[in-house]
Amino acid sequence: MRSRQRMFAAVMRLLLKCLRLGRRRRFKLVRQVERLWHYGHLCLRSLLYNSFTNGDVVLDSLFEPVYWLVDHVTRWFGVVFVALVIGLTSSIVAIVYICLLPLILQTYTPAWICWHLAYGHWNLIMIVFHYYMAITTSPGHPPQAKNDLTGVSICRKCIAPKPARTHHCSICNRCVLKMDHHCPWLNNCVGHYNHRYFFSFCFFMTMGCIYCSISGWEMFRDAYAAIETYYQTPPPTFSFRQRAFHKSVVYLWVLCSSVALALGALTLWHAALITRGETSIERHINRKERQRLQKKGKVFRNPYSYGSWDNWKVFLGVDVPRCGRRGHHWPCPVTRWPAQHTFAKRI
Ligand SMILES: [Zn+2]
Ligand SMILES: [Zn+2]
């Protein structure tokens, strides 16, 4: 009996010893894993350390694949959008020549005919010229050569100095001088050298659409009334040519009036920005700055605004005494570059 008890006690001691040993080993393993984890974490932090890293940077990095996709799709669709603008504008011009012009020549007085011919063609030339210039003119990029520019910031993407009012376009993958926005309808950035062409194109396109909508209103009403009778019984006896005419006139009026409304609103918005001497990007930056200073009881002043009237003169490049330039740049087609002084801060 006693020997059994002794044996049992010996087994229990052995078991306890084994357990203690196992616990020690487990702790050792946990400590090793913990040490490895800390070491890996430290390595990762050392590799990714950046004093500018904040929540926005992390969010930007996470969304980087989405931005990449959007940029590439926009770049590719730019060609489609340009083809669409050219195709739709050509179709409207063709309808005006085939449907609207013969009617004007038959029914209007010689004075009205002259006015329609003069205004219509001048507006068309303006649209074509400014669109061509807006898509072919480079918006302007910072100089690549080494320079002694002081007080300029560095673009994080180009790792190159960028002058004031310059922003990086992720679609063009370049820094753009006085960048306003990247326009898919132009497949080009709107910046310092083509901002005027872009605005002029929007303005003349709106004017052209308004002109077509007003001139074609009577024809649209008649054509629409005729189309409504197509489904009556007995059906009216319209020839294929007449049906094509009705549908073309309705297409012209609906497209022109829709574009006049949408593009007119955009043109007004850009006109308001030009009056304030700021670009679309600066509008957001300046609003934030205005709110920040307002909280401190200070008033924000746009350093690139010369006053409403002078801002327009600078934009159109007409007779600004401060920059010593004279001449009419608008509303006739002009290919001269805008003044460089728009980068200089107002004194
Ligand atoms: Zn850049
Ligand atoms: Zn761009």
Side-chain angles (χ1 to χ4, degrees):
M1 190 70 185
R2 207 169 250 189
S3 64
R4 255 191 207 174
Q5 274 178 347
R6 228 179 278 146
M7 216 153 105
F8 179 74
V11 170
M12 286 306 289
R13 269 202 302 276
L14 195 72
L15 264 171
L16 271 168
K17 227 176 193 176
C18 283
L19 268 172
R20 238 177 264 153
L21 207 72
R23 203 187 289 166
R24 239 180 259 156
R25 269 195 192 153
R26 246 196 341 264
F27 280 140
K28 209 175 173 184
L29 201 73
V30 169
R31 268 204 300 275
Q32 259 180 346
V33 170
E34 223 171 279
R35 210 177 297 145
L36 263 171
W37 166 257
H38 283 302
Y39 180 71
H41 192 238
L42 190 73
C43 282
L44 198 73
R45 286 198 68 176
S46 316
L47 282 170
L48 303 177
Y49 179 74
N50 186 334
S51 58
F52 296 108
T53 303
N54 54 23
D56 289 342
V57 175
V58 173
L59 216 65
D60 277 357
S61 308
L62 286 174
F63 275 95
E64 200 59 45
V66 181
Y67 295 148
W68 182 88
L69 193 73
V70 171
D71 290 349
H72 277 72
V73 168
T74 314
R75 203 177 298 162
W76 187 82
F77 265 95
V79 183
V80 179
F81 279 131
V82 170
L84 209 66
V85 171
I86 295 169
L88 291 176
T89 311
S90 306
S91 70
I92 295 296
V93 171
I95 293 170
V96 168
Y97 271 109
I98 296 165
C99 304
L100 211 70
L101 201 65
L103 220 77
I104 288 171
L105 293 173
Q106 282 168 18
T107 51
Y108 285 23
T109 59
W112 270 112
I113 290 171
C114 284
W115 187 87
H116 274 287
L117 285 175
Y119 178 78
H121 285 100
W122 172 73
N123 205 332
L124 181 62
I125 291 166
M126 285 295 166
I127 290 170
V128 174
F129 171 78
H130 285 113
Y131 190 65
Y132 175 77
M133 291 304 290
I135 58 172
T136 54
T137 307
S138 165
H141 306 286
Q144 294 293 307
K146 204 181 165 192
N147 53 58
D148 300 324
L149 287 173
T150 51
V152 292
S153 52
I154 302 288
C155 173
R156 276 194 299 172
K157 301 273 174 73
C158 304
I159 321 289
K162 56 174 189 178
R165 308 190 89 179
T166 302
H167 299 280
H168 186 89
C169 174
S170 54
I171 297 161
C172 300
N173 204 20
R174 283 189 83 174
C175 272
V176 174
L177 296 175
K178 206 180 149 203
M179 182 179 169
D180 191 88
H181 68 287
H182 183 94
C183 181
W185 298 101
L186 301 180
N187 195 24
N188 197 4
C189 247
V190 176
H192 180 60
Y193 290 112
N194 64 350
H195 194 182
R196 190 191 306 157
Y197 295 129
F198 162 77
F199 179 78
S200 302
F201 164 69
C202 291
F203 176 77
F204 285 113
M205 190 56 124
T206 308
M207 291 293 286
C209 288
I210 292 171
Y211 166 73
C212 287
S213 303
I214 294 171
S215 307
W217 170 243
E218 295 281 330
M219 278 170 69
F220 165 72
R221 248 183 10 187
D222 294 345
Y224 191 78
I227 286 173
E228 277 195 325
T229 63
Y230 284 5
Y231 309 102
Q232 281 178 358
T233 41
T237 51
F238 287 123
S239 64
F240 173 76
R241 202 186 156 94
Q242 282 172 318
R243 281 171 188 260
F245 176 85
H246 295 150
K247 283 172 185 170
S248 301
V249 169
V250 170
Y251 162 77
L252 174 134
W253 197 86
V254 170
L255 185 65
C256 285
S257 52
S258 316
V259 172
L261 279 174
L263 201 62
L266 185 84
T267 310
L268 282 176
W269 162 252
H270 276 277
L273 289 177
I274 294 162
T275 309
R276 296 157 71 109
E278 54 189 19
T279 60
S280 301
I281 296 173
E282 284 168 358
R283 161 98 182 121
H284 300 291
I285 298 169
N286 291 353
R287 193 180 54 193
K288 277 188 181 173
E289 191 62 11
R290 197 171 288 117
Q291 285 169 351
R292 191 182 69 83
L293 289 176
Q294 207 169 17
K295 281 177 192 166
K296 289 183 176 178
K298 292 177 184 173
V299 180
F300 171 76
R301 280 184 196 282
N302 179 8
Y304 304 105
S305 175
Y306 296 87
S308 306
W309 186 240
D310 278 352
N311 284 340
W312 275 100
K313 283 183 171 178
V314 168
F315 180 74
L316 301 173
V318 289
D319 198 10
V320 183
R322 206 178 298 216
C323 59
R325 288 165 73 97
R326 279 181 179 277
H328 298 287
H329 285 213
W330 200 75
C332 14
V334 165
T335 52
R336 280 170 73 179
W337 298 131
Q340 294 289 335
H341 69 106
T342 45
F343 294 110
K345 287 189 182 186
R346 188 169 57 90
I347 301 160

